[in-house]
Every structure is written in C-alpha cells, then in structure tokens.
Amino acid sequence: MNGPALGILFALMSFTASAQVQDSVLHFTKGNIAEKTFSVQEILVRPTCACVGACSCPTHKTDNYSENRFLSSDAILAKNSSISLIKRGNFASEPVLNGMASDRLNLTIDGMKIFGACTDKMDPVTSYVEPNNLKSVYVEHGSSGSMFGSSLGGSVNMETNGAVINAKKPWSGEVGAGFQSAALGANGLLSLNYSRKKWAIGVNGMYRRFQNYRAGGGDIVDHSQFEKWNGALSAKYMPTERDVLRFDMIMDEAYHVGYPALPMDVAFAKAKIFGLTYQHYPQKEWIARVEAKLYANTVTHSMDDTQRSDVIMHMDMPGWTTTFGGHLDGQFIAKKHRMTARLDGYHSNARAEMTMYPDNEAPMFMLTWPDVDKLDLGIYFQDDITLNIKHRLSFNARLDFVSTNVTDPLGVQQASVFNQDVAEADQRVLKNASISYRTTLGKGWTAWVTAGYAERAPSTTEQYAFYIFNAYDGFDHIGDVNVTTEKALQGSAGIRLETGKVVVSATGFYYHIYDYILSAIDSSLDAMTIGANGVKKAENLPSAMLAGGNLSVEYTPIRSLTFRTTGAYTYGSTDAGLPLPLITPFRNVTSVKWTVGRASVSAECESAAPQTRTNPDFGERATAAYAIVNLRAGYYFPFGDKRLSLNGGIENLLDTRYRTHLDWGGIPRPGINGYLNISFTF
Amino acid sequence: MKTSFKTLFVGLTLVGAILNGCKEDDPQPDNYPNTDNLELVGTAYTDVGGIQVKLWAEGLVEAQYTRFFVELRDSATNALLEDAHVELAPMMDMGMMQHSAPFENPTSVLAVGGLFPCAVVFQMPGDMGWTLDVHVHNHANDAEGEASFTLSVANPSPTRTMVVTPENGGDPLVISYVQPTSPVVGINDFEITLHSKASMMSFPSVDTYTVTIEPEMPSMGHGSPNNVNPTFTSRGHYVGKVNFTMTGLWRINLTIMNGAEVVYSTASFDVTL
C-alpha cells in the first residue's frame, strides 16, 4: 500500500483531487524535501502544502484517481475551474487561465521554458508531457507566478515524477490500458522505477491512438483522429546525503493529428526535452537548498493538408523551436523569512515556413516566423514571511531583460514590405511584483488578498508574424515589432471556510491591463490566404479588463458521501466596452460521489451558461448553454502491496450535442462515450 | 554602435583607397575599361574615320530594354577614345518592310569608365533582321563614321516589352520592363520605359503619363502593400517601388494614364522570385 509506485499514484491523486477541490492557485507537492533542511530524502510522504495568497491546502481525499492518468495533461488542468481549454481538435488543447491564453502564461515543465513550434498554437507545452509522468502541477495566478517568467496571467509549471531513490523495493511501476468508445480510442501506459540506495532510474511511456470521434447526436467529426507516443526517462544520483544530480529526458511524437476546426491537419509534432539538475542541501541553518539547472529542448511541427479534399493549393508549413536555458536558485531561511532568489535565462529560436505549390509555377515561399532569436535574462526574489501563526505575508519581484532579433535576412526583407525595420534587436526590460497577505480569521476561516503588477513581452507572433492565418477569425495576422509591452495591475482576494463537513471557498480577481495586445483589422492590407477575410496587425488597445471569480462548496454529510459544486465566471472587456474574445461563460461542475470500501461511484453534471458577449472582429459567435451528465465508477483489487484498478464510466450520458465557447469552428464535442481503464500498480 | 563602426570602417577603407590611388600614380589599371561583367556583342570598324567600335551588353541581347556599352578605339593606335559623339540607329528588316526601335543615345560626349552607355528597346525578337548602326564622331581628330552590327535578338521569357494600341486611340505605345532584374522578397526598385510609335522610324519617349502599379500573385489572388507608383524621371523612364511578400510568380499590373484619360489598363509584367 505504501510502495513508492503507490506513492506516485497518491501524489497524482492528491494533485487531481486538489484540482477538483480547488478553485484557485495551488502550490502542492508531495514530500517537499526542501523542508528537511539538513538532509536529502527521496521519501514519498503524504502530501504537504504550503502557500500564501490565492491558494489553500485541500483536504486530502482517498479517492481512486488512477483514471486521471489516462486523461491528457490539458484535461487534468481543466479540472481547475480557473482553467479553460481552447479546442481545435481532439488533441493538444491550449490552456486559458482566467481568460488569458498561452501568450500571457508561462507554461513550463520542471521550470523549463519550451515553446510550441506551431504558428497556430496547435502544440501548447501541455501536449508534450503525459499525466503518468507528472508529480504535481503548480498553478499561480498573475504576477504571483513570476518565478517562472514574466507573464500577465500566471504560471503553470508541470513537475515531472522523477526517479525515486531508496524506495522500499528495487522495482516498482504501473502498467495500464484504457479504451473509450466515442473515438474508438486506445491508451496504453507503462511506468517503471528501479531504485538503489544512491541512484534510481525511472521510465514512463504512453501510447494513444484515437480515431475520428462521434459527436453528440451521432455525426462523425472528420479529421479529429490522432496518434501519439510519449517516453520519459529520469535518472537520479545522490553522491552524498546533501547532493542530488538529476537527468531528465522526454520524447514526444504525435502523428496524423486531425484538426477539424482548422483547414489543415498536423503530419507530426515532435519534442525532445532534456534537463540536468543539481541540487545541494548545505548543512547550514539559513540555506535550505541551492539548485542549478541546465536544459535544452527542440520542437518540430509540420502541418499537413494532404488529407483534405478541398485544398486549392498544396502547402507545407513546418515550424521549429529550439530553446536552451538554465537557472540558479537558492532558498534561504532566516527566522520568520523563507526566501527564494533565482537567476535564470534562456535563449530560444523560432522559425516557421510556408511553401505553396501552384501548378506549373515556381513554389511560393515565405517565413511566417522569420527565424527569431530571443534572449531572456531574469532575476527573481521571493520572501514568505510568517508574521505569526495567524498572519502570513508573501512578496515577490522579478526583473527580466528580453532581447529579440530576426536572424534570417529574408525576414528583414519581408518586414520591409510593411515599412518595419527588424534588422536591429528589440530590447525590453520587464518588471513584475506582487504582495500577498493571508490571515486566519477564526475557527476554520481563512482569507487572503493579493495585489500585483505584471509586464510581459509580446510573443513571437505578436511581433514578427508574417501572414499567419487564424482559422477562428479568418484573418491573416501580421506582427508589429514595435508593439508596446503589455502591463497589468492585478488584485485578487479570497475567503475560505473549512469545517468538519463543509468546505466553502470564494475568490475574486480583477486585472486592469494596459496596452492590451490584440490584433486589429488593417483594411489597407490584402490577405494572402485564399478566402481570408483580410489582414490583422498586432496593436495595443489603451486598456482592457478581466474580472471574475470562483465559488466552490463541498459538503460531506457522511464519510462515504461527498457533494461538490464549483462555479467560475470571467468577464473581459476592452476600454471601448467590447467583449474580449474567447472568454468562458459561467461554468459549473456539480458532482456527487459515494465511496464504499474499494468501490466508488460518482455522477457529475457539467454545465455552462450561454456566452452572448462576443467580439465580432474576432469572428466570435454566440454559444448556447449546455449541460452534460457523466457517470463514473471505480474499484480496485489489492494483491499484497500491489493493486489492480478498474475505472469506467459513461461521459455525456444523454448524448448531448454541445460545444464550449472556446471550441473553434463550431465543432461539437464528443457525444456519449463509454470508457474502461485497467491498471496494475506494483 | 554597430552601424557607426561599419561607417567608420568603410570611411577608412575609402580614405585608404584614395591615398593608395594617389601614391601609385596609375591613372588607368590594366582592365580599363572594365568589361568584366559585360558580354561582347561584336566588334566592327567604322566605314570611314578609322575607329574600332566594340559593342558590349550586360548579357544575352533579348527583346527588352537592353543596355549597351560602346568602346571606341583609334584603329591605328588602339588608343581608347573617351570624347566622342555616339548615335545609335537600330533597324529591323522584315523583308517587306523596315522599322526602327526606341533607343537612348549616350547622354554625354564623355565616356563613363571608358565606355559610352546607351540602350535600345527591342520590341520584337529576331534571329535575323536586327541591325544596330553606331555613328561615331571622334572629337579628338574630328573624324566621323558609322559601324554596323548584325544582332540576334532572343525572345525573353516572360515578356519584357509590349507594343499596345492605346485605349484612347493615338499612336501605339511601347512599354518595356527595366527592373528589378534580380527581384527579392521585400522592397524592389521598379522601372519601366514608355515610348510612342510615331512612325516606323520614330519612337519618341513618353514623358508626361502617370503609371500606377498593382502587383498580385495570380495563383493566390492577393497583392502586396506599400508599393510606390512609378513616376517619370527622364527619357521615358518611370521609377517606383514594388513589394513582394513571398517567392513565387508575381504579376505587376500596370495602368497608364494621360491626365484623367486611361491610355492602357491591361498591361502586366510577370516576375518570378
């Protein structure tokens, strides 16, 4: 029961449990070894949680969440009610946190910066890591998350499992298979950990193959298939009790990925991710930990129109990103202060090409990302102050220097077409800071308030895009190298009541964003893409605002029964009062779960209000309200310290035809879907 | 900072070059006039006056705006002649009839780099039939004569010269593409010439029209932004800017106006990058 593999399972369970319970930011790890100041221990203990601000420590649930490892990473993220997904197909959805998508978020794996190579954002970083390789996910809102970079929306850091040293038994792992009916999908997963006293090696593998799915009502959604595999290797070596050396590698390859909402599919998307980490735990009272990390990764992405019948002209659209980086950080403890200081930096290159092949003519070639080099050097400081048992204060600040330049002369020539000079490097300094205060108001009551200021650099697309077609608004997009740095003043607050049977939490946030970057129609320009509506160019709106909140109630009348309901709402508006695009309407998930011994049964209802606040320039259409019902059940058979888990269910029981507001192209989501997952942990 | 270093470097190099040039006291290097990037079309001697005439071109002679460079030497001493009056007379003999072509005589009686630049707009190709007479008046000895070259004018692909009948009536118009000869993605100088065919033998330059351009990719149907319409410079030349956003086949559509009157609106030149 307490084997390391189960520990892994447990940690994931706890994370997912927390993601379901939580409405807000979460800092949640298992076995936080940093707290054991004087020794390094790779011991998996019950989850610990330490946070200040927009987060709270959830009640630990003993639910069997092993089925979550068959989900995709983005689906797990979306269990957090602050996170929605932009869906373009049945694969690799783009996370949106509080109405802010990947351009405004730091999406990292073990703190490593990775950039998708698709100009259409078909490959968010979440698509390159699988849940059976995840230990925890760290979601921090706004500038509170600036440890991982300057951003407006916050940080989503996915922490991988890593190998486990000095486990109870040398070999441990999990093998599992899952099937689902809507897309005739098959999942297979395998984890193995080999553990010795001073070193360990862990491997993880996942294979998925899904066909075109059946939407509610019975229509087959063409071009929604995909196939992928993901392999991860982690090796750890502990030369002394105070040093850990860790090497991680993730390989991810997806093939024949259909994107029904786009005019093209993806032939392949490949990522290779490498990280080398050294951690030192000095035997000094005031230094808890020193960590140095180097990493490198490459992503290759190739779009494919050969499976489509309505192609006017064949085109190739490959994209590449390569990123190198590293950080050096230390955690210091001085009386009431727990400080983190960090120096980090990365260099990334992004290049994307488009070649069209007209009949009997020369190929037409252009750079949609003109070989853009980006250098980012940052310094970060955080201080968590425990004033006393009731009051905690947290402060963080970050400074970044960002320099971008176009390295391909063709890119410079292309930009000259728009009278833009991109020959010289574009340099910016970014400032981020936030302060949080958390207090215990009385028995079971806690409250927190956060204020922050954030800045972010424009994305490669916002600065350098060259006729990148966006299938949502139907416009070709062009960057502007001189687009102004986006800034935001942020405030959030929350209150939580926790009694024996009831947990209630409510949070609210308000972001006032200055120089909000949004593309605007430039009617003087001619669209390049055949059939496109026109050309949009990146511009700064004077300001925009995002506001929203979450309310979650959990009621456990008796030990075996839990009712839970979570609602989230976000409102976004430009200074002119126009709605910001792609804002999720009010969304609610209500569930009831009954657990008896090794069995559990749950029913959940997921619903959303209609979204009529649409941005016409963005080509948005209103989305109708929907509600779907899911039934789930689980059971496990213990075999000594091993366990066979069975999970199954029926999603969208009523076969409702629906789509969420963030789904592109009006493509309906899957209809009734039966699934069964079997896994064996040892 | 980078730029200023570059400027400094170029400046120093120039100063060095000038100083060197002065020191060595060598007014004419061995390869003067420099014809390294030119093709010899032919060598002929004037009928009278004892002048050797070498005709150089920038490449194959084709039915388009063609720059020539005339090298003159005293046929007795082989001395380079750099002060002379040079006049061209292109002629196409089609058997039944003859016609000339638009041309540009050298603008000066002084050679440029030892050569006399001039140009002919060959409005049609022909393996046979084209001749170019070069009339030379050597100012050094006041001798005068004419040399004759027989030319083979190839058919360029795509078309670079067209003779059109104006929509508003009037004399036929010769429209010829000058540049870009090596188009690149981004901004290119765009230049055409306009001549009117007043008679079979007279093709005066047209200096008072306005020209607008609209580039497009025919297979895509889109254009490009920030083009600058060509405006008249001299001797029938109109110069502007054309933008290409990507490689491939581009068509530059022309609209030629005389004041408010449309002269010709359906001419175009194709360019492949």
Side-chain angles (χ1 to χ4, degrees):
Chain A
M1 184 73 192
N2 284 327
L6 277 189
I8 294 167
L9 170 73
F10 237 67
L12 193 70
M13 281 161 49
S14 352
F15 156 65
T16 44
S18 64
Q20 285 197 332
V21 175
Q22 284 307 289
D23 298 319
S24 52
V25 180
L26 207 61
H27 168 174
F28 197 34
T29 63
K30 67 177 173 184
N32 190 348
I33 53 177
E35 289 186 347
K36 301 182 186 307
T37 313
F38 299 114
S39 68
V40 177
Q41 288 180 305
E42 285 284 335
I43 299 168
L44 300 167
V45 294
R46 62 179 287 277
T48 60
C49 174
C51 64
V52 169
C55 67
S56 56
C57 297
T59 337
H60 180 59
K61 294 284 169 194
T62 52
D63 302 338
N64 185 344
Y65 277 101
S66 64
E67 72 180 61
N68 284 315
R69 286 192 300 288
F70 292 92
L71 294 175
S72 56
S73 299
D74 47 25
I76 284 185
L77 276 178
K79 292 192 172 206
N80 184 316
S81 64
S82 296
I83 296 181
S84 308
L85 298 178
I86 296 176
K87 252 176 130 72
R88 300 171 176 92
N90 202 19
F91 181 76
S93 303
E94 181 188 354
V96 176
L97 175 62
N98 292 333
M100 285 172 277
S102 54
D103 284 347
R104 293 184 171 86
L105 297 180
N106 289 309
L107 287 176
T108 52
I109 299 175
D110 289 332
M112 298 184 283
K113 288 275 183 184
I114 299 164
F115 297 93
C118 175
T119 51
D120 291 347
K121 299 182 184 174
M122 289 194 236
D123 64 338
V125 175
T126 39
S127 68
Y128 294 120
V129 63
E130 288 292 337
N132 71 327
N133 189 29
L134 281 184
K135 179 160 81 176
S136 61
V137 178
Y138 193 95
V139 181
E140 289 258 31
H141 297 213
S143 52
S144 303
S146 62
M147 176 159 173
F148 297 103
S150 294
S151 80
L152 257 61
S155 290
V156 176
N157 182 39
M158 293 167 286
E159 215 178 316
T160 61
N161 254 333
V164 180
I165 294 179
N166 208 3
K168 277 192 174 170
K169 46 186 185 177
W171 287 98
S172 58
E174 180 182 19
V175 58
F179 305 92
Q180 65 106 280
S181 66
L184 298 177
N187 294 309
L189 64 85
L190 175 72
S191 305
L192 278 175
N193 188 70
Y194 181 66
S195 180
R196 300 299 298 262
K197 221 174 167 61
K198 290 203 158 186
W199 58 273
I201 289 181
V203 292
N204 260 288
M206 171 63 98
Y207 174 77
R208 303 177 187 275
R209 187 178 182 138
F210 280 53
Q211 296 177 20
N212 289 334
Y213 68 79
R214 182 190 162 282
D219 292 342
I220 299 293
V221 177
D222 286 337
H223 311 294
S224 65
Q225 81 292 336
F226 68 87
E227 180 181 1
K228 81 166 286 188
W229 65 266
N230 179 291
L233 170 89
S234 171
K236 272 188 191 168
Y237 174 56
M238 222 169 78
T240 76
E241 279 216 316
R242 292 192 295 277
D243 298 282
V244 182
L245 195 61
R246 173 175 172 171
F247 172 74
D248 291 283
M249 181 173 88
I250 300 174
M251 309 271 272
D252 186 284
E253 296 195 355
Y255 295 96
H256 315 303
V257 183
Y259 283 92
L262 302 178
M264 296 175 87
D265 302 313
V266 167
F268 63 83
K270 298 177 184 180
K272 294 185 183 72
I273 299 163
F274 304 92
L276 185 65
T277 316
Y278 169 70
Q279 290 178 332
H280 179 62
Y281 297 83
Q283 208 160 9
K284 299 224 166 37
E285 275 197 37
W286 57 280
I287 305 180
R289 192 187 72 177
V290 178
E291 178 178 293
K293 181 166 189 133
L294 290 173
Y295 62 87
N297 57 71
T298 67
V299 179
T300 309
H301 191 271
S302 176
M303 296 206 225
D304 176 26
D305 60 7
T306 59
Q307 306 303 312
R308 301 297 181 102
S309 55
D310 53 350
V311 172
I312 298 167
M313 192 189 305
H314 169 61
M315 61 178 89
D316 283 337
M317 290 179 67
W320 301 267
T321 65
T322 307
T323 308
F324 305 92
H327 67 245
L328 180 66
D329 70 16
Q331 288 185 2
F332 310 95
I333 292 164
K335 289 186 180 165
K336 293 176 173 177
H337 298 264
R338 182 185 183 85
M339 289 166 285
T340 304
R342 183 173 169 112
L343 284 173
D344 54 32
Y346 67 86
H347 178 273
S348 76
N349 174 276
R351 179 185 174 92
E353 299 176 351
M354 181 165 87
T355 312
M356 286 169 288
Y357 300 93
D359 293 336
N360 309 317
E361 276 177 27
M364 298 186 270
F365 177 86
M366 56 193 237
L367 289 172
T368 45
W369 277 345
D371 224 328
V372 181
D373 272 359
K374 183 176 205 164
L375 175 72
D376 187 322
L377 299 172
I379 181 165
Y380 173 80
F381 179 76
Q382 176 182 332
D383 189 4
D384 299 321
I385 310 157
T386 308
L387 299 172
N388 58 45
I389 200 158
K390 281 190 168 179
H391 305 285
R392 292 171 75 183
L393 199 62
S394 181
F395 162 80
N396 73 50
R398 180 179 184 88
L399 198 65
D400 268 302
F401 168 76
V402 183
S403 175
T404 53
N405 68 303
V406 172
T407 59
D408 192 319
L410 180 62
V412 178
Q413 290 169 14
Q414 284 183 172
S416 72
V417 167
F418 305 118
N419 301 323
Q420 287 197 47
D421 183 6
V422 298
E424 300 290 318
D426 174 70
Q427 297 178 339
R428 292 164 199 255
V429 173
L430 307 173
K431 303 169 284 292
N432 281 260
S434 85
I435 186 159
S436 288
Y437 170 69
R438 179 188 179 86
T439 182
T440 306
L441 296 171
K443 193 166 183 282
W445 287 90
T446 49
W448 54 263
V449 59
T450 298
Y453 174 78
E455 294 182 346
R456 71 156 180 118
S459 67
T460 302
T461 292
E462 286 164 343
Q463 273 191 294
Y464 299 106
F466 193 73
Y467 289 107
I468 293 177
F469 179 67
N470 179 322
Y472 197 104
D473 59 13
F475 280 81
D476 283 333
H477 284 245
I478 284 167
D480 181 358
V481 68
N482 294 319
V483 74
T484 307
T485 298
E486 199 175 274
K487 307 164 257 295
L489 279 173
Q490 311 170 336
S492 59
I495 191 159
R496 181 178 174 92
L497 168 68
E498 204 167 335
T499 70
K501 291 185 173 177
V502 178
V503 182
V504 181
S505 80
T507 66
F509 68 88
Y510 179 82
Y511 289 6
H512 197 85
I513 304 170
Y514 300 92
D515 296 317
Y516 187 85
I517 301 173
L518 188 70
S519 290
I521 297 168
D522 187 336
S523 52
S524 72
L525 298 177
D526 222 4
M528 186 278 300
T529 305
I530 295 169
N533 297 329
V535 175
K536 281 188 180 179
K537 197 173 168 191
E539 278 188 16
N540 293 103
L541 295 181
S543 71
M545 59 80 75
L546 277 162
N550 300 305
L551 177 70
S552 128
V553 179
E554 194 178 315
Y555 176 52
T556 313
I558 51 172
R559 223 178 117 80
S560 59
L561 197 63
T562 306
F563 295 95
R564 187 181 292 155
T565 185
T566 303
Y569 178 71
T570 306
Y571 179 93
S573 170
T574 69
D575 60 319
L578 278 173
L580 289 182
L582 292 177
I583 300 294
T584 303
F586 178 78
R587 189 170 76 130
N588 174 265
V589 179
T590 299
S591 65
V592 53
K593 180 157 193 166
W594 187 46
T595 312
V596 187
R598 298 175 198 138
S600 66
V601 182
S602 70
E604 73 188 20
C605 174
E606 181 193 328
S607 60
Q611 180 58 287
T612 51
R613 296 192 72 250
T614 55
N615 188 309
D617 286 348
F618 202 74
E620 265 192 316
R621 61 174 108 177
T623 303
Y626 71 86
I628 58 164
V629 176
N630 306 319
L631 298 180
R632 306 180 197 280
Y635 189 78
Y636 69 87
F637 303 91
F639 297 98
D641 63 347
K642 303 172 181 68
R643 177 190 273 203
L644 179 71
S645 302
L646 286 175
N647 287 286
I650 302 171
E651 290 170 329
N652 195 359
L653 180 71
L654 305 175
D655 202 26
T656 306
R657 187 182 169 98
Y658 77 106
R659 64 183 181 91
T660 78
H661 187 64
L662 270 54
D663 294 345
W664 279 32
I667 307 291
R669 290 221 172 183
I672 185 167
N673 176 40
Y675 68 91
L676 181 67
N677 300 325
I678 303 170
S679 68
F680 183 66
T681 44
F682 54 90
Chain B
M1 204 59 193
K2 219 167 161 185
T3 322
S4 57
F5 271 128
K6 224 185 256 173
T7 318
L8 188 64
F9 180 73
V10 171
L12 285 173
T13 315
L14 277 177
V15 169
I18 292 162
L19 289 176
N20 264 332
C22 294
K23 246 186 269 169
E24 293 185 7
D25 196 26
D26 184 1
Q28 287 188 1
D30 288 345
N31 65 343
Y32 186 87
N34 186 346
T35 54
D36 289 351
N37 297 317
L38 300 176
E39 298 270 337
L40 184 63
V41 178
T43 305
Y45 293 85
T46 50
D47 48 359
V48 288
I51 303 164
Q52 185 203 51
V53 181
K54 278 186 172 173
L55 186 66
W56 299 89
E58 286 170 317
L60 187 66
V61 177
E62 291 182 309
Q64 60 183 335
Y65 178 87
T66 307
R67 281 193 190 86
F68 289 110
F69 300 87
V70 174
E71 178 183 345
L72 303 175
R73 289 186 186 272
D74 186 308
S75 62
T77 63
N78 201 36
L80 190 70
L81 305 176
E82 298 195 71
D83 181 0
H85 201 87
V86 176
E87 281 184 350
L88 304 182
M91 190 64 68
M92 177 64 176
D93 188 344
M94 300 171 78
M96 301 293 288
M97 60 175 207
Q98 287 187 328
H99 66 78
S100 181
F103 61 88
E104 294 168 358
N105 288 326
T107 50
S108 167
V109 294
L110 297 177
V112 179
L115 301 170
F116 293 88
C118 48
V120 177
V121 178
F122 295 104
Q123 70 271 47
M124 64 182 287
D127 289 341
M128 296 186 300
W130 276 110
T131 53
L132 179 62
D133 291 348
V134 181
H135 185 94
V136 183
H137 177 204
N138 180 0
H139 292 168
N141 60 7
D142 206 22
E144 214 169 329
E146 196 163 271
S148 187
F149 295 87
T150 303
L151 301 177
S152 172
V153 177
N155 192 12
S157 177
T159 300
R160 285 288 172 254
T161 296
M162 54 191 83
V163 184
V164 301
T165 306
E167 293 163 24
N168 62 343
D171 293 335
L173 188 67
V174 183
I175 310 167
S176 191
Y177 178 98
V178 179
Q179 59 170 338
T181 49
S182 306
V184 294
V185 168
I187 299 174
N188 297 266
D189 286 333
F190 178 72
E191 184 174 357
I192 59 166
T193 58
L194 297 179
H195 294 87
S196 101
K197 184 183 177 186
S199 73
M200 298 296 264
M201 296 302 156
S202 169
F203 294 83
S205 67
V206 177
D207 300 346
T208 55
Y209 285 2
T210 54
V211 180
T212 54
I213 58 168
E214 201 176 325
E216 66 158 321
M217 294 201 96
S219 53
M220 302 281 291
H222 68 76
S224 67
N226 294 328
N227 297 287
V228 178
N229 286 323
T231 52
F232 171 73
T233 54
S234 68
R235 298 206 288 180
H237 286 246
Y238 292 77
V239 180
K241 302 269 186 201
V242 64
N243 265 313
F244 301 120
T245 52
M246 62 175 95
T247 68
L249 171 68
W250 285 85
R251 181 161 296 154
I252 303 166
N253 295 302
L254 304 173
T255 304
I256 297 163
M257 309 276 288
N258 182 8
E261 206 172 16
V262 176
V263 177
Y264 201 72
S265 59
T266 54
S268 67
F269 290 109
D270 286 353
V271 177
T272 297
L273 279 75

